[in-house]
């Protein structure tokens, strides 16, 4: 298989933001008296902000209006962005820098395909703002994963056909999105155990064994 493009998910693949998301949502849930724990947080991986809130509100004892939901999501995002100011290169997941640098040496194009609307801030904080050939994020799409839109747009921006692209994902919703985009997907973290992924990675750098060599 000859991949010419690797599309990386951001949260959970390039950088570990789980705890920042968790703590910000936890503050909101605690203020509202809604049960929220790390198991529920795991279900938010790859899912958009408003869909994440909908999952959290499954445990609420009352209905929330559209306006209340907007306020809760905006408050969570303000807390999250404040927490992201603490994010540094140290939060990059193991092997990311070496993998990016080796893919460039092999003339493989690299892109980000993320549901997050905070992608630009996160890339800046970890020092990767200028490393990718294309960045497609939650601001560019109407439908978040498992819809294939984010990956199809990334491929289009790279001028690549889906079969030329390898997606690297940590979320089951992202694995489904990649498959629906007609792309092969390598699962890392939680998604390494997803039987729908074409490759199971112990670490992101494992893709160097089969991409561009
Ligand atoms: C995804 C995360 O990358 O982005 C989700 O895995 C998150 O947990 C989603 O809900 C949206 O993030 P943001 O930064 O736009 O609130
Ligand atoms: Mg992810």
């Amino acid at each position: 298989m000859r991949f010419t493009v690797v599309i990386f998910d951001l949260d959970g693949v390039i950088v570990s933001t789980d705890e920042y998301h968790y703590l910000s949502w936890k503050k909101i849930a605690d203020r509202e008296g809604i049960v929220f724990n790390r198991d529920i947080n795991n279900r938010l991986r790859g899912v958009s902000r408003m869909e994440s809130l909908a999952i959290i509100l499954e445990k609420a004892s009352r209905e929330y209006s559209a306006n209340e939901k907007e306020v809760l999501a905006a408050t969570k995002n303000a807390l999250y962005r404040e927490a992201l100011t603490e994010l540094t290169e140290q939060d990059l997941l193991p092997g990311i820098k070496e993998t990016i640098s080796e893919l460039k040496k092999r003339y493989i194009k690299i892109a980000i395909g993320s549901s997050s609307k905070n992608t630009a801030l996160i890339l800046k904080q970890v020092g990767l703002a200028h490393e990718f050939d294309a960045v497609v994020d939650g601001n560019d799409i109407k439908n978040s994963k498992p819809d294939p839109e984010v990956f199809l747009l990334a491929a289009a921006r790279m001028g690549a056909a889906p079969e030329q692209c390898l997606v690297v994902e940590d979320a089951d919703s992202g694995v489904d999105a990649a498959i629906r985009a007609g792309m092969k997907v390598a699962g890392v973290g939680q998604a390494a155990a997803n039987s729908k992924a074409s490759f199971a990675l112990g670490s992101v750098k494992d893709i160097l064994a089969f991409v561009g060599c």
Side-chain angles (χ1 to χ4, degrees):
M1 177 113 16
R2 285 201 67 81
F3 297 112
T4 57
V5 172
V6 177
I7 306 174
F8 294 92
D9 171 51
L10 178 68
D11 293 302
V13 170
I14 299 283
V15 61
S16 177
T17 48
D18 261 21
E19 195 63 12
Y20 296 93
H21 275 296
Y22 172 71
L23 293 173
S24 310
W25 279 128
K26 180 76 179 144
K27 277 188 191 150
I28 300 292
D30 285 352
R31 280 179 199 171
E32 295 297 314
I34 299 169
V35 173
F36 180 63
N37 54 36
R38 285 170 204 281
D39 283 343
I40 301 172
N41 194 55
N42 279 339
R43 290 175 57 205
L44 312 184
R45 248 186 223 127
V47 173
S48 74
R49 195 179 309 156
M50 292 311 284
E51 286 163 329
S52 296
L53 178 61
I55 291 170
I56 291 165
L57 292 181
E58 285 171 10
K59 297 273 184 217
S61 54
R62 68 172 179 91
E63 289 295 313
Y64 283 73
S65 70
N67 186 51
E68 285 178 310
K69 288 179 192 171
E70 288 296 338
V71 172
L72 290 181
T75 308
K76 182 268 175 178
N77 196 49
L79 292 167
Y80 179 58
R81 285 182 70 90
E82 194 183 316
L84 286 179
T85 59
E86 302 289 316
L87 197 71
T88 69
E89 211 179 298
Q90 304 303 318
D91 294 286
L92 285 174
L93 284 158
I96 286 298
K97 286 197 93 165
E98 304 90 289
T99 305
I100 288 175
S101 131
E102 184 58 30
L103 289 173
K104 284 175 186 255
K105 279 190 202 148
R106 296 182 190 182
Y107 301 104
I108 300 294
K109 298 266 188 206
I110 56 172
I112 292 286
S114 170
S115 304
S116 174
K117 293 184 173 174
N118 293 301
T119 294
L121 173 60
I122 292 169
L123 290 177
K124 177 170 160 273
Q125 289 293 130
V126 298
L128 295 182
H130 306 292
E131 294 299 318
F132 293 90
D133 299 292
V135 175
V136 180
D137 70 15
N139 299 295
D140 299 308
I141 54 170
K142 286 202 179 67
N143 308 297
S144 77
K145 303 167 188 177
D147 191 282
E149 187 179 356
V150 73
F151 294 136
L152 289 172
L153 186 55
R157 287 200 187 158
M158 310 292 288
E163 54 273 21
Q164 293 173 278
C165 302
L166 175 72
V167 170
V168 186
E169 258 294 346
D170 72 309
D172 293 337
S173 60
V175 170
D176 288 340
I179 291 169
R180 286 169 63 183
M183 298 173 187
K184 291 278 187 290
V185 55
V188 69
Q190 177 179 288
N194 186 322
S195 59
K196 290 185 261 178
S198 317
F199 308 96
L201 308 177
S203 147
V204 169
K205 68 176 187 301
D206 295 348
I207 64 169
L208 296 173
F210 57 89
V211 175
C213 50

